[in-house]
Amino acid sequence: MKVTVNRKAHFNAAHRLYNCEWSDARNAEVFGKCANPNYHGHNYELIVSVRGDIHPETGFVMDMKILKKLIKEEIEDVFDHKNLNEEIKEFATLNPTAENISVIIWNKLRSKIDSKLDLSITLYETPRNFVTFKG
Ligand code: NI
């Protein structure tokens, strides 16, 4: 019997979406306001979901204290109040879209969570726009 446990988290970060191979006009056309050369911020809402069997001794799928600490140390402390393009090495050459941020978050957490458990990431860039990545 598989159960999914979820933990919400939050970080604020700045980014700029652009493709350096393209003209300013094409970047503006494709990325709109997100291509602003002076960056802009988002209030990212993160949901980390872990699915697996209920452990017979604890009744837990995963100890939420451990998940909370992992998200704080690996994600919130790393991304919060950062300029993603300039300060996070993974985005030096990778566009920091919600899609790519969700993949980077999944990669950071996957190696720290028991491989018997499934991991999925839901990332809200705005209250209406969100992405999911399950690996
Ligand atoms: Ni944006």
Side-chain angles (χ1 to χ4, degrees), residues 11 26 39 43 48 55 76 91 99 104 111 123 126 132:
F11 57 92
R26 185 157 179 215
Y39 304 97
N43 297 315
V48 176
H55 194 282
E76 289 173 312
F91 299 116
E99 292 89 329
I104 297 297
S111 60
L123 183 70
T126 72
T132 56

Side-chain angles (χ1 to χ4, degrees), residues 15 34 40 42 125:
H15 75 168
C34 280
H40 62 278
H42 289 284
E125 190 171 76

Side-chain angles (χ1 to χ4, degrees), residues 63-79:
D63 185 333
M64 295 302 263
K65 293 189 296 299
I66 294 170
L67 185 60
K68 175 185 174 182
K69 186 165 182 277
L70 205 52
I71 295 168
K72 181 179 187 301
E73 291 174 355
E74 299 294 322
I75 310 301
E76 289 173 312
D77 289 353
V78 176
F79 289 171

Side-chain angles (χ1 to χ4, degrees), residues 65-112:
K65 293 189 296 299
I66 294 170
L67 185 60
K68 175 185 174 182
K69 186 165 182 277
L70 205 52
I71 295 168
K72 181 179 187 301
E73 291 174 355
E74 299 294 322
I75 310 301
E76 289 173 312
D77 289 353
V78 176
F79 289 171
D80 192 39
H81 284 72
K82 295 293 170 57
N83 177 317
L84 299 177
N85 303 73
E86 298 285 330
E87 296 180 273
I88 305 297
K89 66 176 188 313
E90 285 87 348
F91 299 116
T93 57
L94 182 69
N95 225 5
T97 58
E99 292 89 329
N100 282 329
I101 298 168
S102 71
V103 173
I104 297 297
I105 290 172
W106 189 92
N107 286 334
K108 284 177 176 291
L109 295 177
R110 181 63 279 185
S111 60
K112 311 270 179 178

